[in-house]
């Protein structure tokens, strides 16, 4: 849900930025727990889903566009874009899903007949 709401606000700042407030506080409260869990719980190696890669790219591109569009004088814009980058980092981490192809364990007690 956080990724979808973040994507909606990011696209809103790219395509229709007039009269919109930057959700820096709400985005910070939503993204920091995810980033902390990602740091503390390292996922196993594996491929990441395509949707997570697409959202990571969307957040990076929208943040770059918003930073250049708003400029360095708007601290709320910079804070929001930093949270978009952090969310992109979280979405772009490899190993978010486990591999479906598991090899049988040699030390298991089951024998293959």
């Amino acid at each position: 849900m956080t990724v979808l709401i973040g994507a909606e606000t990011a696209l809103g700042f790219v395509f229709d930025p007039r009269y919109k407030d930057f959700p820096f506080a709400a985005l910070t409260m939503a993204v920091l727990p995810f980033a902390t869990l990602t740091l503390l719980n390292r996922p196993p190696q594996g491929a990441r889903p395509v949707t997570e890669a697409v959202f990571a790219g969307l957040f990076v591109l929208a943040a770059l566009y918003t930073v250049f569009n708003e400029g360095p004088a708007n601290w709320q814009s910079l804070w929001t874009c930093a949270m978009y980058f952090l969310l992109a980092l979280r979405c772009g981490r490899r190993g978010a899903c486990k591999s479906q192809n598991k090899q049988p364990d040699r030390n298991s007690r089951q024998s293959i007949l």
Side-chain angles (χ1 to χ4, degrees):
M1 192 56 110
T2 301
V3 174
L4 290 176
I5 293 172
E8 187 270 330
T9 59
L11 289 173
F13 289 130
V14 170
F15 292 109
D16 187 25
R18 297 181 100 193
Y19 310 117
K20 291 192 184 223
D21 292 330
F22 289 97
F24 64 94
L27 200 56
T28 301
M29 288 188 293
V31 171
L32 280 182
F34 284 129
T36 305
L37 285 175
T38 302
L39 280 174
L40 295 177
N41 298 327
R42 303 263 176 182
Q45 294 298 325
R48 69 174 172 247
V50 173
T51 54
E52 289 185 8
V54 167
F55 277 116
L58 175 116
F59 286 127
V60 167
L61 292 175
L64 286 174
Y65 177 81
T66 305
V67 163
F68 289 121
N69 192 29
E70 292 292 325
N74 190 349
W75 68 271
Q76 293 176 347
S77 167
L78 296 176
W79 189 310
T80 302
C81 290
M83 289 302 111
Y84 287 150
F85 280 125
L86 197 58
L87 195 56
L89 257 167
R90 194 265 172 241
C91 287
R93 295 272 317 234
R94 290 201 179 271
C97 65
K98 292 183 180 178
S99 175
Q100 297 295 328
N101 299 332
K102 286 191 171 184
Q103 298 293 330
D105 188 15
R106 291 183 184 178
N107 297 330
S108 69
R109 293 183 184 183
Q110 296 175 352
S111 63
I112 299 174
L113 297 177

